[in-house]
Every structure is written in C-alpha cells, then in structure tokens.
Amino acid sequence: MVSITADVSGLIKSWQIQAGMCFLFMPHTSASITLCESYDRHSRTDVENYFERTVPEGASWYRHTYEGPDDSPSHIRTTLSQSSISIPVDNGQLGLGTWQGIYLFEHRSAPHTRKVQVRALKIS
Amino acid sequence: MVSITADVSGLIKSWQIQAGMCFLFMPHTSASITLCESYDRHSRTDVENYFERTVPEGASWYRHTYEGPDDSPSHIRTTLSQSSISIPVDNGQLGLGTWQGIYLFEHRSAPHTRKVQVRALKIS
Amino acid sequence: MVSITADVSGLIKSWQIQAGMCFLFMPHTSASITLCESYDRHSRTDVENYFERTVPEGASWYRHTYEGPDDSPSHIRTTLSQSSISIPVDNGQLGLGTWQGIYLFEHRSAPHTRKVQVRALKIS
C-alpha cells in the first residue's frame, strides 16, 4: 500500500473546493484504492498479509495464468476491495477520519505504473 | 450491524431532495457501511459470523496488536467491506431495493461511538 | 458475471454527458456490480470460483436458510464485493481502463431478473 492522501488533498486545495464530494477511481483491474489506518505501518502490513494469505499466488485451480501466477489473485483481491471511493469535502478539506489515509493497494508482485482518477463536485 | 436506514431517509426528506444522489461515508477504519437484507435478522447474523470466522481475532501473524486483539481484524474487515456508498434518490426517496437496508457494521468488540457522513447532490 | 459495459456506455452517450461522474447502484442484496478484466473470460471464472469456494453454499452454521442454501452465501458475497460504483466520464466516454469491464455479478444459483440503477452528474 502506498499513501496517496497528500496527492488527493493537494488536488482538492488547488481546485478550491470548499464543500462537495471527491471521487476516486482506479482504472486498473489488479490494484485498488483502500482507506486504512495511517498511524501504524503494521496495520497496513496486516491487511496486505491477509490478502496474500487468503488469495494466494499460484492456486492449483486458477485458469487465468498466462500473465503469471500473480495475475489472477490480483483480480480477485481487486474485487474484494474497492476501485471507487467517494469522500466528502468540507471547509476545503477531505472529510477523512483522524487516522484514516487513502492508499493505492498494488496487488501484483512486480512494480507497475498506476494512475488514479480524481474528480470533485461542489455542493452549494 | 445496526440499521441506519431511517436516519439516512430522514435526512433526504428534510433536505427535500427530489432526484439526485446520496453519498454515505464512514470516517473510521474499524467500521463499515453495508447494504444488507433487512427482512430476516439471521441474514445479517450470517454475514457477521462470516466476517468473524474469516478474519478472526488474535491470529498469530498479526503485528498491529497494541490496541488489542480485535483491532487488526477490524481494519481487515473494513477493507473487505465498504467505507463509502452512493445511493440514487428518486421522488424524494432513497432508491433502495424492497428488502435492502443500510447498516453500520461495527468491527471492534467493545462499543464505539461512530459518525457516518451523509451528503446529497441534486440531479436536475 | 454478465457484462453491462455496453449498456452503461450507451446510456452515457444517449444522455450526452461530456464530462462528469456516472453512478451505478445495485438495488438487490444477492448480486453485485463488479469491475473486472474484460479480455480473458477465465479471469472472471477465477473470481467466480473464488467466491464460490470461499463463501460456499450450505455451510453448517448458516441460520438464514429458508430461501435455500444459496441465499445466505449470496448476501455474504454481496457484502464482500460492491453494490455501488462511481466512474468518471470524460469526452463523452466512461473512464474505464483499457481492459476494464463492468459486470453484474449474480450470486444466487437460479436465474434472477436484476435492475441496475444508473445516474450521471455533469462536471462543468
């Protein structure tokens, strides 16, 4: 998991949205957008380990295997987490909880370049 | 799971939104917002039991443990369910299915005070 | 999983939305809306098999059983996946990734008629 909280907060400030909704969208099928505890790195380690243990690489029954043993589990892990998240904006700031961060959750084992789409709508 | 359907419906009515979108957001990392069958209480009991069985307290490999044995599983359960949900509003009412209710899904074992953020946008 | 990508794209075009957000909502508690890889059918087969293996029919501890052995797992599978998804619209088109499709993920074993709610908001 890689934090993108500062990137998204920066966009909302640069767009000068005072009140509204921020929409995040992941246009990939092997990575997710996840909200998680930002204080202790081990809380994310445990989430990451859970996904790796529960949806392991190379299960004998996978049929979608030609892109490697980590591809099918990455699609399953994406389905189990989120590709789109909507966050309120108030007083020009994301309405996240105190210890809540926004993370790009990469599910493949090799590094990938990912783009997250960010949009916002004002509520008047 | 605690029903919040009436609370959200009441807000939409008080805001006099005829047509639009309602956005729910959970600013906590150890509780979710879940849509579930509202008719039979046992349907939610089964969902609750599934989460408790699949993401148990006190697994030997958890590293995020200083807030108690129920903290790390509560983050994992949150990641597996939803922190944000968008529901259409039509004719001044939430577009839920007949037996579909909105639930606050608490993942920690001790009682917590939780706030759910509710926003709405009109579609003209 | 049944593809609904063309249906949703067609609506966005007919509404002549150039830039904005598209909101999908499933008003049922035993089917989901899922984004998944659209290229290889086996990638969806693996996701389907994962859900069937991980949340099996007829577990001995299910209490919500009077609608059949596939009803309680269908609610659990819905909770583990998505009932609402928000997708950006740019240049009149859904901002999906190249190989990303929108799927109705039916969780019951018998055929059901399902309606997916689609809404859109313009961003000016």
Side-chain angles (χ1 to χ4, degrees), chain C residues 37-95:
Chain C
E37 209 238 49
S38 60
Y39 184 73
D40 177 16
R41 179 63 182 95
H42 286 168
S43 68
R44 274 113 62 203
T45 304
D46 284 355
V47 174
E48 291 165 351
N49 282 338
Y50 178 85
F51 275 75
E52 289 175 21
R53 285 166 170 267
T54 307
V55 191
E57 290 194 10
S60 61
W61 53 269
Y62 292 155
R63 298 184 63 183
H64 174 71
T65 53
Y66 63 84
E67 284 188 58
D70 65 324
D71 196 44
S72 209
S74 75
H75 297 317
I76 298 169
R77 293 173 193 169
T78 300
T79 306
L80 289 171
S81 47
Q82 279 75 53
S83 299
S84 74
I85 289 182
S86 309
I87 306 171
V89 178
D90 292 295
N91 300 315
Q93 298 203 311
L94 288 171

Short mmCIF file of all heavy atoms in Angstrom, two decimals, chain C residues 37-95:
data_model
loop_
_atom_site.label_atom_id
_atom_site.label_comp_id
_atom_site.label_asym_id
_atom_site.label_seq_id
_atom_site.Cartn_x
_atom_site.Cartn_y
_atom_site.Cartn_z
N GLU C 37 -11.40 -7.63 -15.31
CA GLU C 37 -10.69 -7.73 -16.58
C GLU C 37 -11.64 -8.27 -17.64
O GLU C 37 -12.34 -9.26 -17.43
CB GLU C 37 -9.51 -8.71 -16.37
CG GLU C 37 -8.34 -8.43 -17.25
CD GLU C 37 -8.00 -9.62 -18.12
OE1 GLU C 37 -8.92 -10.17 -18.75
OE2 GLU C 37 -6.80 -9.98 -18.15
N SER C 38 -11.69 -7.60 -18.79
CA SER C 38 -12.65 -7.97 -19.82
C SER C 38 -12.04 -8.80 -20.94
O SER C 38 -12.75 -9.29 -21.81
CB SER C 38 -13.26 -6.69 -20.43
OG SER C 38 -12.24 -5.89 -21.00
N TYR C 39 -10.72 -8.98 -20.95
CA TYR C 39 -10.06 -9.61 -22.10
C TYR C 39 -10.21 -11.13 -22.07
O TYR C 39 -10.68 -11.74 -23.03
CB TYR C 39 -8.57 -9.22 -22.11
CG TYR C 39 -7.83 -9.74 -23.31
CD1 TYR C 39 -8.04 -9.18 -24.57
CD2 TYR C 39 -6.93 -10.79 -23.19
CE1 TYR C 39 -7.36 -9.67 -25.68
CE2 TYR C 39 -6.25 -11.27 -24.30
CZ TYR C 39 -6.47 -10.71 -25.53
OH TYR C 39 -5.81 -11.19 -26.63
N ASP C 40 -9.82 -11.74 -20.95
CA ASP C 40 -9.82 -13.20 -20.87
C ASP C 40 -10.98 -13.67 -19.98
O ASP C 40 -11.02 -13.35 -18.79
CB ASP C 40 -8.47 -13.67 -20.28
CG ASP C 40 -8.42 -15.18 -20.09
OD1 ASP C 40 -9.28 -15.89 -20.67
OD2 ASP C 40 -7.53 -15.65 -19.35
N ARG C 41 -11.90 -14.43 -20.55
CA ARG C 41 -13.05 -14.92 -19.79
C ARG C 41 -12.63 -15.67 -18.53
O ARG C 41 -13.31 -15.64 -17.52
CB ARG C 41 -13.92 -15.82 -20.68
CG ARG C 41 -15.14 -16.42 -19.98
CD ARG C 41 -16.09 -15.30 -19.54
NE ARG C 41 -17.28 -15.77 -18.82
CZ ARG C 41 -17.38 -15.83 -17.50
NH1 ARG C 41 -16.34 -15.51 -16.74
NH2 ARG C 41 -18.50 -16.20 -16.94
N HIS C 42 -11.48 -16.34 -18.58
CA HIS C 42 -11.02 -17.12 -17.44
C HIS C 42 -10.68 -16.26 -16.22
O HIS C 42 -10.69 -16.75 -15.10
CB HIS C 42 -9.79 -17.96 -17.83
CG HIS C 42 -10.15 -19.14 -18.69
ND1 HIS C 42 -9.23 -19.88 -19.36
CD2 HIS C 42 -11.36 -19.68 -18.99
CE1 HIS C 42 -9.84 -20.85 -20.03
NE2 HIS C 42 -11.12 -20.74 -19.83
N SER C 43 -10.36 -14.99 -16.44
CA SER C 43 -10.09 -14.13 -15.28
C SER C 43 -11.36 -13.97 -14.45
O SER C 43 -11.31 -13.95 -13.23
CB SER C 43 -9.54 -12.77 -15.73
OG SER C 43 -10.53 -12.04 -16.41
N ARG C 44 -12.51 -13.87 -15.12
CA ARG C 44 -13.78 -13.79 -14.37
C ARG C 44 -14.15 -15.16 -13.79
O ARG C 44 -14.70 -15.25 -12.69
CB ARG C 44 -14.92 -13.28 -15.25
CG ARG C 44 -14.96 -11.75 -15.28
CD ARG C 44 -14.63 -11.19 -16.64
NE ARG C 44 -15.56 -11.60 -17.65
CZ ARG C 44 -15.27 -11.63 -18.96
NH1 ARG C 44 -14.09 -11.26 -19.39
NH2 ARG C 44 -16.18 -12.02 -19.83
N THR C 45 -13.86 -16.22 -14.52
CA THR C 45 -14.13 -17.56 -13.99
C THR C 45 -13.39 -17.77 -12.67
O THR C 45 -13.95 -18.31 -11.71
CB THR C 45 -13.66 -18.64 -15.01
OG1 THR C 45 -14.30 -18.38 -16.25
CG2 THR C 45 -14.00 -20.04 -14.52
N ASP C 46 -12.15 -17.31 -12.61
CA ASP C 46 -11.36 -17.46 -11.38
C ASP C 46 -11.98 -16.64 -10.24
O ASP C 46 -12.03 -17.11 -9.09
CB ASP C 46 -9.91 -17.02 -11.62
CG ASP C 46 -9.11 -18.06 -12.40
OD1 ASP C 46 -9.66 -19.16 -12.66
OD2 ASP C 46 -7.95 -17.78 -12.75
N VAL C 47 -12.44 -15.43 -10.53
CA VAL C 47 -13.09 -14.62 -9.49
C VAL C 47 -14.38 -15.32 -9.01
O VAL C 47 -14.63 -15.45 -7.81
CB VAL C 47 -13.40 -13.19 -10.00
CG1 VAL C 47 -14.20 -12.42 -8.96
CG2 VAL C 47 -12.11 -12.45 -10.33
N GLU C 48 -15.17 -15.80 -9.97
CA GLU C 48 -16.40 -16.51 -9.62
C GLU C 48 -16.11 -17.73 -8.75
O GLU C 48 -16.77 -17.97 -7.73
CB GLU C 48 -17.14 -16.94 -10.89
CG GLU C 48 -17.73 -15.78 -11.69
CD GLU C 48 -18.13 -16.16 -13.10
OE1 GLU C 48 -17.80 -17.28 -13.56
OE2 GLU C 48 -18.77 -15.33 -13.79
N ASN C 49 -15.09 -18.49 -9.16
CA ASN C 49 -14.75 -19.70 -8.39
C ASN C 49 -14.24 -19.35 -7.00
O ASN C 49 -14.53 -20.05 -6.03
CB ASN C 49 -13.69 -20.53 -9.14
CG ASN C 49 -14.32 -21.32 -10.28
OD1 ASN C 49 -15.53 -21.58 -10.28
ND2 ASN C 49 -13.53 -21.68 -11.27
N TYR C 50 -13.49 -18.25 -6.91
CA TYR C 50 -13.02 -17.83 -5.58
C TYR C 50 -14.20 -17.57 -4.64
O TYR C 50 -14.21 -18.04 -3.50
CB TYR C 50 -12.15 -16.58 -5.68
CG TYR C 50 -11.70 -16.12 -4.31
CD1 TYR C 50 -10.58 -16.67 -3.71
CD2 TYR C 50 -12.44 -15.18 -3.58
CE1 TYR C 50 -10.19 -16.28 -2.44
CE2 TYR C 50 -12.06 -14.80 -2.31
CZ TYR C 50 -10.93 -15.35 -1.74
OH TYR C 50 -10.57 -14.99 -0.48
N PHE C 51 -15.19 -16.82 -5.13
CA PHE C 51 -16.34 -16.51 -4.29
C PHE C 51 -17.11 -17.78 -3.90
O PHE C 51 -17.58 -17.91 -2.77
CB PHE C 51 -17.26 -15.49 -4.98
CG PHE C 51 -16.85 -14.06 -4.76
CD1 PHE C 51 -15.74 -13.52 -5.42
CD2 PHE C 51 -17.53 -13.24 -3.88
CE1 PHE C 51 -15.33 -12.21 -5.20
CE2 PHE C 51 -17.13 -11.93 -3.65
CZ PHE C 51 -16.04 -11.41 -4.32
N GLU C 52 -17.23 -18.71 -4.84
CA GLU C 52 -17.96 -19.95 -4.55
C GLU C 52 -17.20 -20.84 -3.57
O GLU C 52 -17.81 -21.53 -2.75
CB GLU C 52 -18.26 -20.71 -5.85
CG GLU C 52 -19.33 -19.99 -6.67
CD GLU C 52 -19.58 -20.64 -8.02
OE1 GLU C 52 -19.26 -21.84 -8.18
OE2 GLU C 52 -20.10 -19.94 -8.92
N ARG C 53 -15.88 -20.81 -3.66
CA ARG C 53 -15.07 -21.62 -2.75
C ARG C 53 -14.99 -21.01 -1.36
O ARG C 53 -15.03 -21.72 -0.34
CB ARG C 53 -13.64 -21.74 -3.29
CG ARG C 53 -13.50 -22.69 -4.46
CD ARG C 53 -12.15 -22.48 -5.15
NE ARG C 53 -11.90 -23.53 -6.12
CZ ARG C 53 -11.24 -24.65 -5.89
NH1 ARG C 53 -10.71 -24.86 -4.69
NH2 ARG C 53 -11.08 -25.56 -6.82
N THR C 54 -14.88 -19.69 -1.31
CA THR C 54 -14.63 -19.01 -0.04
C THR C 54 -15.92 -18.81 0.75
O THR C 54 -15.91 -18.80 1.98
CB THR C 54 -13.97 -17.64 -0.31
OG1 THR C 54 -12.83 -17.85 -1.13
CG2 THR C 54 -13.56 -16.97 0.99
N VAL C 55 -17.02 -18.61 0.02
CA VAL C 55 -18.33 -18.46 0.67
C VAL C 55 -19.24 -19.54 0.10
O VAL C 55 -20.07 -19.29 -0.77
CB VAL C 55 -18.92 -17.05 0.42
CG1 VAL C 55 -20.12 -16.83 1.31
CG2 VAL C 55 -17.88 -15.96 0.61
N PRO C 56 -19.07 -20.79 0.57
CA PRO C 56 -19.76 -21.91 -0.06
C PRO C 56 -21.25 -21.97 0.30
O PRO C 56 -21.68 -21.39 1.29
CB PRO C 56 -19.02 -23.13 0.52
CG PRO C 56 -18.54 -22.67 1.85
CD PRO C 56 -18.21 -21.20 1.69
N GLU C 57 -21.99 -22.66 -0.53
CA GLU C 57 -23.40 -22.94 -0.22
C GLU C 57 -23.48 -23.93 0.94
O GLU C 57 -22.62 -24.79 1.11
CB GLU C 57 -24.10 -23.55 -1.44
CG GLU C 57 -24.29 -22.55 -2.55
CD GLU C 57 -25.28 -23.03 -3.61
OE1 GLU C 57 -25.96 -24.05 -3.38
OE2 GLU C 57 -25.37 -22.36 -4.66
N GLY C 58 -24.52 -23.79 1.73
CA GLY C 58 -24.86 -24.81 2.71
C GLY C 58 -23.91 -24.99 3.86
O GLY C 58 -23.83 -26.10 4.42
N ALA C 59 -23.17 -23.94 4.27
CA ALA C 59 -22.32 -24.09 5.46
C ALA C 59 -23.20 -24.44 6.67
O ALA C 59 -24.32 -23.95 6.80
CB ALA C 59 -21.53 -22.80 5.73
N SER C 60 -22.65 -25.28 7.53
CA SER C 60 -23.46 -25.82 8.63
C SER C 60 -23.93 -24.74 9.59
O SER C 60 -24.96 -24.89 10.25
CB SER C 60 -22.63 -26.86 9.39
OG SER C 60 -21.48 -26.22 9.94
N TRP C 61 -23.21 -23.62 9.66
CA TRP C 61 -23.54 -22.59 10.65
C TRP C 61 -24.47 -21.50 10.12
O TRP C 61 -24.82 -20.59 10.87
CB TRP C 61 -22.26 -21.97 11.22
CG TRP C 61 -21.30 -21.47 10.19
CD1 TRP C 61 -20.27 -22.16 9.62
CD2 TRP C 61 -21.29 -20.18 9.59
NE1 TRP C 61 -19.60 -21.38 8.70
CE2 TRP C 61 -20.21 -20.16 8.66
CE3 TRP C 61 -22.07 -19.03 9.73
CZ2 TRP C 61 -19.92 -19.03 7.89
CZ3 TRP C 61 -21.78 -17.91 8.96
CH2 TRP C 61 -20.71 -17.93 8.05
N TYR C 62 -24.88 -21.57 8.84
CA TYR C 62 -25.83 -20.58 8.33
C TYR C 62 -27.16 -20.70 9.07
O TYR C 62 -27.67 -21.81 9.26
CB TYR C 62 -26.08 -20.76 6.83
CG TYR C 62 -24.91 -20.46 5.91
CD1 TYR C 62 -24.82 -21.05 4.66
CD2 TYR C 62 -23.91 -19.57 6.27
CE1 TYR C 62 -23.77 -20.78 3.79
CE2 TYR C 62 -22.85 -19.29 5.42
CZ TYR C 62 -22.78 -19.90 4.19
OH TYR C 62 -21.75 -19.63 3.33
N ARG C 63 -27.73 -19.58 9.46
CA ARG C 63 -29.03 -19.59 10.12
C ARG C 63 -30.15 -19.10 9.20
O ARG C 63 -31.31 -19.37 9.44
CB ARG C 63 -28.97 -18.72 11.38
CG ARG C 63 -27.97 -19.25 12.38
CD ARG C 63 -27.97 -18.46 13.66
NE ARG C 63 -29.25 -18.54 14.34
CZ ARG C 63 -29.52 -17.88 15.46
NH1 ARG C 63 -28.60 -17.11 16.02
NH2 ARG C 63 -30.71 -17.97 16.02
N HIS C 64 -29.76 -18.33 8.16
CA HIS C 64 -30.74 -17.76 7.23
C HIS C 64 -30.87 -18.74 6.05
O HIS C 64 -30.17 -18.64 5.06
CB HIS C 64 -30.23 -16.39 6.76
CG HIS C 64 -31.06 -15.74 5.69
ND1 HIS C 64 -32.31 -15.23 5.92
CD2 HIS C 64 -30.79 -15.49 4.39
CE1 HIS C 64 -32.78 -14.69 4.81
NE2 HIS C 64 -31.89 -14.84 3.86
N THR C 65 -31.72 -19.73 6.20
CA THR C 65 -31.73 -20.85 5.26
C THR C 65 -33.07 -21.11 4.58
O THR C 65 -33.15 -21.93 3.67
CB THR C 65 -31.33 -22.16 5.99
OG1 THR C 65 -32.19 -22.29 7.14
CG2 THR C 65 -29.89 -22.12 6.45
N TYR C 66 -34.13 -20.41 4.98
CA TYR C 66 -35.45 -20.79 4.43
C TYR C 66 -35.64 -20.40 2.98
O TYR C 66 -36.58 -20.85 2.34
CB TYR C 66 -36.59 -20.25 5.31
CG TYR C 66 -36.68 -18.77 5.40
CD1 TYR C 66 -37.35 -18.04 4.42
CD2 TYR C 66 -36.11 -18.08 6.47
CE1 TYR C 66 -37.44 -16.66 4.50
CE2 TYR C 66 -36.18 -16.71 6.55
CZ TYR C 66 -36.85 -16.01 5.57
OH TYR C 66 -36.92 -14.64 5.63
N GLU C 67 -34.76 -19.54 2.42
CA GLU C 67 -34.85 -19.24 0.98
C GLU C 67 -33.90 -20.13 0.17
O GLU C 67 -33.68 -19.88 -1.01
CB GLU C 67 -34.52 -17.77 0.71
CG GLU C 67 -35.64 -16.82 1.08
CD GLU C 67 -35.32 -15.39 0.61
OE1 GLU C 67 -35.10 -15.21 -0.60
OE2 GLU C 67 -35.27 -14.50 1.45
N GLY C 68 -33.34 -21.14 0.81
CA GLY C 68 -32.46 -22.07 0.08
C GLY C 68 -31.01 -21.94 0.50
O GLY C 68 -30.61 -20.95 1.12
N PRO C 69 -30.20 -22.96 0.17
CA PRO C 69 -28.80 -22.99 0.61
C PRO C 69 -27.92 -21.95 -0.08
O PRO C 69 -26.79 -21.72 0.36
CB PRO C 69 -28.35 -24.41 0.23
CG PRO C 69 -29.27 -24.83 -0.86
CD PRO C 69 -30.58 -24.17 -0.59
N ASP C 70 -28.43 -21.31 -1.16
CA ASP C 70 -27.61 -20.33 -1.88
C ASP C 70 -27.94 -18.90 -1.45
O ASP C 70 -27.36 -17.96 -1.98
CB ASP C 70 -27.82 -20.47 -3.39
CG ASP C 70 -29.24 -20.12 -3.81
OD1 ASP C 70 -30.18 -20.43 -3.02
OD2 ASP C 70 -29.43 -19.53 -4.88
N ASP C 71 -28.88 -18.71 -0.51
CA ASP C 71 -29.31 -17.34 -0.20
C ASP C 71 -28.35 -16.63 0.75
O ASP C 71 -27.91 -15.52 0.49
CB ASP C 71 -30.73 -17.35 0.39
CG ASP C 71 -31.34 -15.96 0.34
OD1 ASP C 71 -31.20 -15.29 -0.70
OD2 ASP C 71 -31.94 -15.54 1.34
N SER C 72 -28.01 -17.30 1.86
CA SER C 72 -27.11 -16.64 2.80
C SER C 72 -25.72 -16.39 2.17
O SER C 72 -25.20 -15.27 2.30
CB SER C 72 -26.97 -17.46 4.08
OG SER C 72 -26.70 -16.61 5.18
N PRO C 73 -25.13 -17.36 1.46
CA PRO C 73 -23.85 -17.03 0.81
C PRO C 73 -23.97 -15.88 -0.18
O PRO C 73 -23.01 -15.12 -0.36
CB PRO C 73 -23.44 -18.34 0.12
CG PRO C 73 -24.63 -19.21 0.15
CD PRO C 73 -25.47 -18.78 1.32
N SER C 74 -25.14 -15.73 -0.81
CA SER C 74 -25.28 -14.63 -1.78
C SER C 74 -25.25 -13.27 -1.07
O SER C 74 -24.71 -12.30 -1.61
CB SER C 74 -26.55 -14.79 -2.60
OG SER C 74 -27.69 -14.46 -1.84
N HIS C 75 -25.79 -13.19 0.14
CA HIS C 75 -25.70 -11.93 0.89
C HIS C 75 -24.26 -11.67 1.33
O HIS C 75 -23.78 -10.54 1.29
CB HIS C 75 -26.61 -11.99 2.14
CG HIS C 75 -28.06 -12.12 1.81
ND1 HIS C 75 -28.67 -11.40 0.81
CD2 HIS C 75 -29.04 -12.89 2.36
CE1 HIS C 75 -29.96 -11.73 0.75
NE2 HIS C 75 -30.20 -12.63 1.67
N ILE C 76 -23.57 -12.71 1.77
CA ILE C 76 -22.18 -12.54 2.20
C ILE C 76 -21.30 -12.12 1.03
O ILE C 76 -20.50 -11.19 1.13
CB ILE C 76 -21.65 -13.85 2.84
CG1 ILE C 76 -22.47 -14.20 4.09
CG2 ILE C 76 -20.17 -13.73 3.19
CD1 ILE C 76 -22.21 -15.61 4.63
N ARG C 77 -21.48 -12.78 -0.12
CA ARG C 77 -20.70 -12.42 -1.31
C ARG C 77 -20.97 -10.99 -1.75
O ARG C 77 -20.07 -10.30 -2.23
CB ARG C 77 -21.02 -13.39 -2.45
CG ARG C 77 -20.56 -14.81 -2.20
CD ARG C 77 -21.08 -15.76 -3.29
NE ARG C 77 -20.91 -17.16 -2.91
CZ ARG C 77 -21.45 -18.19 -3.56
NH1 ARG C 77 -22.21 -17.97 -4.64
NH2 ARG C 77 -21.25 -19.41 -3.14
N THR C 78 -22.22 -10.54 -1.59
CA THR C 78 -22.56 -9.14 -1.93
C THR C 78 -21.81 -8.19 -1.02
O THR C 78 -21.27 -7.17 -1.46
CB THR C 78 -24.08 -8.92 -1.81
OG1 THR C 78 -24.75 -9.80 -2.71
CG2 THR C 78 -24.46 -7.48 -2.15
N THR C 79 -21.77 -8.51 0.27
CA THR C 79 -21.08 -7.65 1.24
C THR C 79 -19.58 -7.57 0.93
O THR C 79 -18.95 -6.55 1.15
CB THR C 79 -21.28 -8.21 2.66
OG1 THR C 79 -22.67 -8.36 2.88
CG2 THR C 79 -20.71 -7.28 3.70
N LEU C 80 -19.01 -8.67 0.41
CA LEU C 80 -17.58 -8.71 0.10
C LEU C 80 -17.23 -8.01 -1.22
O LEU C 80 -16.05 -7.77 -1.50
CB LEU C 80 -17.10 -10.16 0.02
CG LEU C 80 -17.04 -10.93 1.33
CD1 LEU C 80 -16.78 -12.40 1.06
CD2 LEU C 80 -15.94 -10.36 2.24
N SER C 81 -18.26 -7.74 -2.03
CA SER C 81 -17.99 -7.04 -3.30
C SER C 81 -18.72 -5.69 -3.26
O SER C 81 -18.86 -5.12 -2.19
CB SER C 81 -18.38 -7.93 -4.48
OG SER C 81 -19.66 -8.50 -4.28
N GLN C 82 -19.14 -5.15 -4.40
CA GLN C 82 -19.68 -3.78 -4.40
C GLN C 82 -21.14 -3.71 -4.85
O GLN C 82 -21.53 -4.39 -5.79
CB GLN C 82 -18.87 -2.88 -5.35
CG GLN C 82 -17.59 -2.36 -4.75
CD GLN C 82 -16.53 -3.41 -4.67
OE1 GLN C 82 -16.22 -4.04 -5.68
NE2 GLN C 82 -15.98 -3.64 -3.51
N SER C 83 -21.89 -2.84 -4.19
CA SER C 83 -23.26 -2.53 -4.61
C SER C 83 -23.34 -1.16 -5.28
O SER C 83 -24.36 -0.83 -5.87
CB SER C 83 -24.20 -2.55 -3.41
OG SER C 83 -24.22 -3.83 -2.80
N SER C 84 -22.31 -0.35 -5.13
CA SER C 84 -22.30 0.97 -5.79
C SER C 84 -20.90 1.27 -6.28
O SER C 84 -19.92 1.00 -5.59
CB SER C 84 -22.80 2.06 -4.84
OG SER C 84 -21.83 2.39 -3.86
N ILE C 85 -20.82 1.79 -7.50
CA ILE C 85 -19.55 2.13 -8.12
C ILE C 85 -19.70 3.47 -8.83
O ILE C 85 -20.74 3.74 -9.43
CB ILE C 85 -19.11 1.02 -9.13
CG1 ILE C 85 -18.69 -0.24 -8.35
CG2 ILE C 85 -17.99 1.49 -10.04
CD1 ILE C 85 -18.20 -1.37 -9.23
N SER C 86 -18.68 4.31 -8.74
CA SER C 86 -18.69 5.63 -9.38
C SER C 86 -17.57 5.69 -10.40
O SER C 86 -16.42 5.43 -10.05
CB SER C 86 -18.47 6.73 -8.34
OG SER C 86 -19.36 6.57 -7.25
N ILE C 87 -17.90 6.03 -11.63
CA ILE C 87 -16.92 6.03 -12.73
C ILE C 87 -16.87 7.41 -13.38
O ILE C 87 -17.92 7.96 -13.72
CB ILE C 87 -17.30 4.96 -13.79
CG1 ILE C 87 -17.47 3.58 -13.13
CG2 ILE C 87 -16.26 4.90 -14.91
CD1 ILE C 87 -18.05 2.52 -14.05
N PRO C 88 -15.68 7.97 -13.58
CA PRO C 88 -15.59 9.27 -14.26
C PRO C 88 -16.05 9.17 -15.71
O PRO C 88 -15.93 8.11 -16.35
CB PRO C 88 -14.09 9.61 -14.21
CG PRO C 88 -13.50 8.71 -13.19
CD PRO C 88 -14.34 7.48 -13.17
N VAL C 89 -16.57 10.28 -16.23
CA VAL C 89 -16.90 10.40 -17.66
C VAL C 89 -16.06 11.54 -18.24
O VAL C 89 -16.04 12.64 -17.68
CB VAL C 89 -18.40 10.71 -17.86
CG1 VAL C 89 -18.72 10.89 -19.34
CG2 VAL C 89 -19.27 9.63 -17.24
N ASP C 90 -15.34 11.23 -19.32
CA ASP C 90 -14.51 12.24 -19.99
C ASP C 90 -14.71 12.16 -21.49
O ASP C 90 -14.75 11.05 -22.03
CB ASP C 90 -13.02 11.99 -19.68
CG ASP C 90 -12.69 12.24 -18.23
OD1 ASP C 90 -12.79 13.39 -17.80
OD2 ASP C 90 -12.36 11.25 -17.54
N ASN C 91 -14.82 13.30 -22.13
CA ASN C 91 -15.02 13.33 -23.59
C ASN C 91 -16.17 12.42 -24.00
O ASN C 91 -16.09 11.72 -25.01
CB ASN C 91 -13.73 12.91 -24.31
CG ASN C 91 -12.58 13.83 -23.99
OD1 ASN C 91 -12.74 15.06 -24.00
ND2 ASN C 91 -11.42 13.27 -23.66
N GLY C 92 -17.21 12.40 -23.19
CA GLY C 92 -18.40 11.63 -23.53
C GLY C 92 -18.28 10.14 -23.32
O GLY C 92 -19.17 9.38 -23.71
N GLN C 93 -17.18 9.70 -22.69
CA GLN C 93 -16.97 8.26 -22.53
C GLN C 93 -16.62 7.90 -21.09
O GLN C 93 -15.98 8.68 -20.38
CB GLN C 93 -15.83 7.79 -23.45
CG GLN C 93 -16.14 8.00 -24.92
CD GLN C 93 -15.33 7.08 -25.80
OE1 GLN C 93 -14.11 6.98 -25.65
NE2 GLN C 93 -16.00 6.39 -26.71
N LEU C 94 -17.00 6.70 -20.69
CA LEU C 94 -16.64 6.18 -19.38
C LEU C 94 -15.12 6.09 -19.26
O LEU C 94 -14.46 5.57 -20.18
CB LEU C 94 -17.23 4.79 -19.17
CG LEU C 94 -18.74 4.70 -18.96
CD1 LEU C 94 -19.17 3.23 -19.00
CD2 LEU C 94 -19.15 5.34 -17.65
N GLY C 95 -14.58 6.50 -18.13
CA GLY C 95 -13.13 6.47 -17.94
C GLY C 95 -12.60 5.15 -17.47
O GLY C 95 -11.75 5.11 -16.57
#
